[in-house]
Amino acid sequence: MSVVSSPRSVLLWHVHGSWTESFVAGRHRCVLPVNRARDADGRGLCGRNWPRTHEVSLCDLYDEHIDLVVLQRPEEIELASRWLGRRPGLDVPAVYVEHNAPRPFAVDSVHPVAERSDIPLVHVTDFNRLMWNNGVAPTRVITHGIADPGLLYRGDVSAAATMINEPCRRWRTVGADLLTAFGQKVPIDVWGIDTDVLSECITNPQVRGRGDVPTAALLPEVARRRVFLHTARWTSLGLSLIEAMFIGMPVVAVASTMAPLVVPPEAGVVSADMDTLSRALTSFVTDGAAASAAGKAARDFAMAQFGIDRFLAQWDDLIDECCR
């Protein structure tokens, strides 16, 4: 067993809230840039209570002791160079976390750090690492990990639940267009950013936008629905799917990207056939016992594969390796 080193000081931008919440739960001191506009380049904590995480204004970053920069967007290489006065990968160790499946092309997209052998590239799924053209960048996979929210599943509402951010804007990418057809079979409650205006792009009254709700209040409400629906066509493995499995929900998922590899047969139905998915939704909504049994299997799998302790241990190893 390797010797545990001292905590490091890590600079990262607040890009993906759920992933960041897991990352900052580790033992390292995390620095989040903040600016007056609180925009994408300086969101800071966004009101989160993360004890080992500190907001630092952009103009004060130059004087901060930073051991490692965690990059998540191409523009952050230039941002870090400008505000730190140190170049990521050259003057200060850096890693790049890629949260997304390759775009715009499934197999021909060259990653922004593909020519950087000095910046390790961390993918969140094996599928993403396989599909991106990673060039000479050293790659590894650290899959998602979350703190166990507990077995919350009740399934007392005979409807499906899903969580999709900006469904009208992201439309086919997140499979929001499929909700109309599925909504002809069962009621569907949709949570996430801009779902309060979902009726502007989906007129089926059985598809109901529930708005953007904090996680603590969201998961108990989602858990009241009978089944979780995952419609994404071309996104990375969403944390919402993992959260649904953790709380004990059965899953019906479109068979795309990583989903077929993280929903075992006993935990639900994964298919590219719309009729198969529709029948599965109807079956789970009408058969509470089958839904509960599949939900238990989903929770068992999620706990075994996506625990936060494994996630943080893998990040500790990589951070120590980069900072040696």
Side-chain angles (χ1 to χ4, degrees):
M1 181 178 295
S2 59
V3 176
V4 176
S5 66
S6 300
R8 311 287 187 172
S9 184
V10 179
L11 171 68
L12 73 157
W13 275 261
H14 190 166
V15 177
H16 293 278
S18 296
W19 182 89
T20 306
E21 181 159 354
S22 293
F23 182 86
V24 302
R27 61 191 178 87
H28 303 284
R29 175 183 180 269
C30 294
V31 173
L32 294 183
V34 63
N35 59 16
R36 184 174 298 177
R38 298 271 175 172
D39 58 18
D41 293 338
R43 288 195 179 104
L45 285 161
C46 293
R48 265 71 163 194
N49 180 24
W50 293 336
R52 285 182 288 277
T53 305
H54 309 273
E55 291 184 344
V56 176
S57 66
L58 290 176
C59 59
D60 292 332
L61 279 178
Y62 190 89
D63 296 320
E64 279 290 312
H65 172 74
I66 298 297
D67 295 305
L68 177 77
V69 180
V70 174
L71 305 162
Q72 299 170 78
R73 300 171 298 159
E75 59 267 31
E76 290 173 4
I77 297 174
E78 189 276 330
L79 289 173
S81 299
R82 188 196 328 161
W83 295 105
L84 284 177
R86 284 161 280 172
R87 297 165 297 173
L90 297 173
D91 305 316
V92 60
V95 300
Y96 192 112
V97 180
E98 180 51 67
H99 294 282
N100 299 311
R103 295 178 187 168
F105 307 112
V107 295
D108 294 326
S109 292
V110 179
H111 197 273
V113 297
E115 297 182 359
R116 298 290 300 266
S117 61
D118 54 343
I119 299 180
L121 175 54
V122 180
H123 291 287
V124 298
T125 71
D126 292 301
F127 181 92
N128 289 358
R129 177 164 70 168
L130 175 68
M131 301 299 275
W132 274 104
N133 179 346
N134 301 302
V136 299
T139 64
R140 69 179 66 193
V141 175
I142 300 181
T143 56
H144 292 310
I146 65 171
D148 180 13
L151 177 59
L152 304 179
Y153 183 65
R154 292 171 59 189
D156 57 307
V157 177
S158 298
T162 190
M163 293 182 265
I164 305 174
N165 286 329
E166 300 179 274
C168 293
R169 181 184 70 82
R170 298 168 72 201
W171 199 235
R172 284 181 57 84
T173 299
V174 294
D177 60 302
L178 305 177
L179 295 174
T180 297
F182 290 138
Q184 293 174 1
K185 304 296 182 181
V186 299
I188 304 172
D189 290 318
V190 188
W191 282 269
I193 297 170
D194 289 347
T195 55
D196 53 335
V197 294
L198 188 62
S199 59
E200 294 179 6
C201 57
I202 296 178
T203 57
N204 185 338
Q206 289 230 106
V207 180
R208 305 170 293 210
R210 298 298 189 183
D212 187 21
V213 179
T215 302
L218 169 64
L219 292 183
E221 275 301 306
V222 171
R224 295 190 61 198
R225 276 63 187 174
R226 194 68 55 80
V227 58
F228 186 80
L229 173 62
H230 181 69
T231 58
R233 276 193 181 89
W234 193 251
T235 67
S236 190
L237 179 61
L239 276 164
S240 60
L241 173 59
I242 297 170
E243 289 170 340
M245 295 173 71
F246 257 103
I247 64 177
M249 295 192 77
V251 172
V252 172
V254 170
S256 184
T257 65
M258 198 69 183
L261 299 175
V262 300
V263 182
E266 61 272 20
V269 175
V270 182
S271 177
D273 178 66
M274 287 289 291
D275 291 338
T276 298
L277 295 172
S278 294
R279 286 194 298 269
L281 282 173
T282 303
S283 177
F284 280 130
V285 167
T286 58
D287 189 343
S292 294
K296 181 181 184 303
R299 174 169 166 78
D300 289 344
F301 184 88
M303 291 180 67
Q305 299 296 321
F306 297 107
I308 194 167
D309 289 341
R310 184 270 314 156
F311 172 83
L312 292 175
Q314 288 183 302
W315 269 107
D316 279 348
D317 288 345
L318 179 56
I319 290 170
D320 288 344
E321 179 182 321
C322 291
C323 294
R324 262 185 216 119

